[in-house]
Amino acid sequence: MKASLNNSISKLTTLNLALFVLLMSSPTHADETIVQSPQPQFATATPSNHDAASPLTSRVPHTVFPTDQGMPLAREDVDLTRTAVVPGRAFVPSTTPRETHPTYTPITPRYQPAPQYQQPAPKYQQPTIPQYNQPAPQSPQTPAGGEFLGNNKPTDPQVKISSRNTDPKMLGFLRTTSMQELTSLYHEASRMIDAKHVNPPAYETRMKSSLNNLILALDNPDFQRANNLSSQSTAIRQVQAELAQTINSQPARNATEAVGLMQWSAELVNRQLGVRREAVALEFMNGTIDALDKYSSFMPESTAFAPGAELENRKTASLEENIVGIGVELETHPMGAILVGVVENSPASGLGLKKGDLIVAVNGQSVRGLGLNTVAGKLGGSLGTQITLDIERDGQRYRGQLSRQRIYVSSVTGTEMLDNIKKVGYVRLKQFSESSRKDLEAAMWSLHNQGMKSLVLDLRGNPGGLLDQAIEVSDLFLPCGTIVSTKGRNYTDNTSETATREKTWSIPLVVLVDDGSASASEIFAAAIQENERGVVVGRHSYGKGTVQTHFPLQTVSGLLKLTTAKFYSPAGREMAGSGVTPDLLVRATETNSNRADYDADIEAAISVVDQGIPSRLAQQAANCNQPKYQTPGQANNSFNNFTQQLQMNMSGR
């Protein structure tokens, strides 16, 4: 099962993303990410009780770019509608003599064996769609909604259609909306796209996307189930043919003509197939937004949820810390959903659930064959409500009951000392959420009080998150220099963020990345690397380089998320498609080992620390003498010679 979990990370799509089964306590909190107030130019990082052995270093004052003053930060840099936490490979404590680790007491599950009942057959089988299926790419990894940014491969549109038509929030919105409301929404969204999107396509392009989306949706089994549409209906082919003919015969040149085409399509499909006009119009509009880019989307608010479908699992679950739920992360599985993470101090951890457990039934009902959104919807609910889970573990079935509670989900985990002799600390940052900077610094102070002399910061599998948190976390380590810049169509989208913190951590630093490290992770890694503040170890990062902004809608209760800018590294590199190349490459084959406690990335990081390179870089960076924005190929020769030798040593293992 462990091998299958590791393998699944490289095959993520929208329907097998890791999803937090969590409900946010405030449905309107997403508005806080729309326009955030600028952080103070000079923040104080020093706790009141730090002593002379403080790891902080003062910085030389520097000039802040004018565009930093009074400008709101870009809101986020990851596709929140399709992404929660994608777990990375956490460090497993070694049993070798050089390391001392605390002992762990295994948790005994508080389950009772579940009744041995016959597994009911699924109500339906997921039919294949051979005419639209695309082979799953082997690389790069897809941490953000099945999008292939690294090599610009297109997303399978069927994945997005299925995701929308199994999303409780989208379905809840559809149940309460009207054609008049959707018509007004389309006009409002079109105005925003024309004014705010970084590169809005022509209306003709948008309309082709909308009509093609409808053609695909009529063959999509999830759309068919959501709209009680028979997959064997011969009328579907006739409607698809008429829609296809319209693509070239009646191009739309403005929003008014586009709305007319949307209404005509809704009438056609309703008259011939009996599908609600609103369902057709909503899919038409989503097809228009799909034409913009891989990350723009319409996000109805939770007020559109029907009772019992209040799960906030696909918008900001991974970036909110104060939430309501049971506290698990899921990936899809033919038998139901498999746990890939359990939140500490959550109802799930209290029950004894752990990674690898397979949820096969919820409240006595089998979840075999159900989509991940559907399973997550069954697990979500209101504060204090009870839920019964049947799980399979090691071939045995168990049943347990738990209640949904308020949970604090920290983005920081795995804080420990890798080597108690060399005092190498380790922290894993799962994503960049609201309190990442605060939680990370608290973890670092804990390690500092244990005598930490260097730090390994693990960003493997970190899909990104809030842009302002990427900047704040970078500011913890950079005494000066550029962190990131953004460029868009509008003045407010053109920013240059520089290090402004009065005191920063001078601890020698190694950053771990892999092909699941995206967005905010890449901003941080590039800032550390190109300012020569630390060493980046691992594999080439994902390569997502765009910023999304949330715009509140007035027509309906919801948000329109649009790509408004691209971001650039301190050296001026466009990050989209390029990502971050590690200073020390650890090949994926080297991360596989028969030893359960072996982690090639960790071993490489400790080797780098042993050579003293992070220490020298930290000392040089503290001087703030004309920062040099270096890419890996421009690094000094001594560093190159060391990494080449270490690369040879690792390859020869």
Side-chain angles (χ1 to χ4, degrees), residues 260-494:
L261 193 55
M262 179 180 76
Q263 294 171 333
W264 173 84
S265 301
E267 290 295 332
L268 171 69
V269 178
N270 173 258
R271 184 176 64 254
Q272 299 292 336
L273 302 176
V275 178
R276 282 186 65 209
R277 295 174 178 83
E278 290 80 4
V280 179
L282 181 58
E283 200 57 52
F284 184 98
M285 186 190 73
N286 281 320
T288 294
I289 298 173
D290 288 347
L292 304 180
D293 59 77
K294 299 175 175 69
Y295 297 101
S296 296
S297 64
F298 164 59
M299 303 188 300
E301 283 288 10
S302 57
T303 51
F305 275 170
E310 299 170 332
L311 185 65
E312 188 80 350
N313 63 1
R314 300 185 57 234
K315 187 177 72 176
T316 54
S318 67
L319 303 181
E320 295 283 351
E321 282 106 1
N322 297 295
I323 54 181
V324 170
I326 65 172
V328 296
E329 299 172 62
L330 303 176
E331 282 184 354
T332 191
H333 187 279
M335 296 291 292
I338 195 165
L339 270 62
V340 294
V342 178
V343 178
E344 296 178 4
N345 302 317
S346 67
S349 65
L351 184 64
L353 296 178
K354 64 181 183 179
K355 181 178 178 180
D357 288 344
L358 176 63
I359 297 177
V360 295
V362 178
N363 292 329
Q365 296 182 345
S366 171
V367 292
R368 180 176 183 176
L370 300 184
L372 191 57
N373 284 340
T374 304
V375 177
K378 292 179 178 295
L379 296 175
S382 303
L383 177 66
T385 55
Q386 297 286 319
I387 183 173
T388 300
L389 297 182
D390 287 7
I391 71 158
E392 285 191 0
R393 177 189 295 176
D394 300 328
Q396 297 294 319
R397 181 167 293 178
Y398 301 92
R399 173 170 291 173
Q401 189 175 69
L402 64 168
S403 62
R404 302 171 178 98
Q405 301 296 332
R406 295 193 184 279
I407 309 168
Y408 178 76
V409 184
S410 175
S411 58
V412 173
T413 186
T415 304
E416 62 178 301
M417 200 70 76
L418 293 178
D419 191 317
N420 277 315
I421 298 175
K422 299 173 184 177
K423 298 299 182 183
V424 180
Y426 170 91
V427 179
R428 180 185 171 216
L429 188 61
K430 297 192 298 183
Q431 71 269 353
F432 288 81
S433 55
E434 292 174 315
S435 300
S436 289
R437 191 273 305 165
K438 179 186 69 176
D439 289 350
L440 175 60
E441 192 164 27
M444 291 166 60
W445 274 106
S446 173
L447 291 170
H448 170 69
N449 292 334
Q450 300 174 46
M452 176 178 65
K453 295 181 180 178
S454 56
L455 174 66
V456 176
L457 183 59
D458 192 348
L459 299 183
R460 292 175 295 179
N462 184 321
L466 299 176
L467 181 55
D468 67 330
Q469 285 297 306
I471 294 166
E472 288 192 26
V473 171
S474 301
D475 211 5
L476 283 178
F477 298 95
L478 292 177
C480 55
T482 300
I483 296 173
V484 66
S485 60
T486 65
K487 298 178 183 178
R489 290 174 60 205
N490 299 304
Y491 175 75
T492 56
D493 297 319
N494 297 310

